[in-house]
Amino acid sequence: MHLLPTEEEVVRVLRDTGALRDGHFEYPSGMHSNEYLQVPLAMRYYQHAKMLSVGLSRLLRANAEIRALIPELSIVAPATGGLPVAYGVCEALRARQVYWAEQDGEGKAMRFRQYLEQHPGEPVVLVDDLLRSGKKLSAMRELLESRGASVLGLAVIIYQPTPKTRDFGPLPLYYLAKLEASYYSDGAHCELCRRAAPIEKVWV
Ligand SMILES: [Zn+2]
């Protein structure tokens, strides 16, 4: 395995571990899709987790601004799903620290553990397993910036854009593979519903 896996290698790992599934899925937002991805299923296996996070760390290291700040760099995950990736990236880069945010419930504000404070200008890379809606990553970025940190980039294993994905403007975005599924705003507009394909509800 090379240090930077190809998109095909990444997708093969996702399929082999059951992380990437074809079918007919309904998201909690009501959106329907022909594809579903649950990266933690691939991150269960140490060798895959290592390959994916080392690959992502190499993309980050290629950014001169980020590379120069590695000894000071914080790797921050917006939720626990991003933690295996965040620790893998931090270890591969030899960055300073890893931490994460939590939410008390759906729709509640994100927060850090008590006594966890950012220092002014703290350089941060946001890391997660997946960028789909970008809702949590964008809330995380706002929270960090409001506390004086400086967000330098965004790194995810998989970029799976939907028509509703947030725009992060000029913030550098790194990913190992991009997946283009078909999305339908609801059942009434869904091609798969029209064909009466059996549907599965997904909860993340
Ligand atoms: Zn449907």
Side-chain angles (χ1 to χ4, degrees), residues 78-152:
T80 49
L83 275 181
V85 191
Y87 275 101
V89 166
C90 186
E91 185 193 5
L93 285 179
R94 299 276 182 262
R96 179 162 180 261
Q97 60 177 349
V98 175
Y99 56 87
W100 62 95
E102 283 153 298
Q103 239 178 336
D104 282 341
E106 202 53 50
K108 295 262 179 68
M110 293 180 114
R111 63 178 184 189
F112 298 108
R113 290 295 171 107
Q114 199 168 8
Y115 309 121
L116 198 160
E117 281 164 16
Q118 286 71 27
H119 64 79
E122 177 180 316
V124 169
V125 169
L126 295 180
V127 168
D128 207 354
D129 54 352
L130 170 66
L131 169 55
R132 191 187 290 129
S133 73
K135 221 165 121 184
K136 279 192 176 166
L137 283 164
S138 121
M140 185 79 283
R141 181 190 187 182
E142 275 172 37
L143 178 59
L144 284 161
E145 288 176 346
S146 75
R147 295 168 63 119
S150 164
V151 177
L152 304 178

Side-chain angles (χ1 to χ4, degrees), residues 24 30 32 183-194:
H24 179 197
H32 287 211
Y183 293 98
Y184 309 97
S185 54
D186 53 47
H189 298 91
C190 176
E191 195 62 40
L192 299 156
C193 280
R194 208 165 301 150

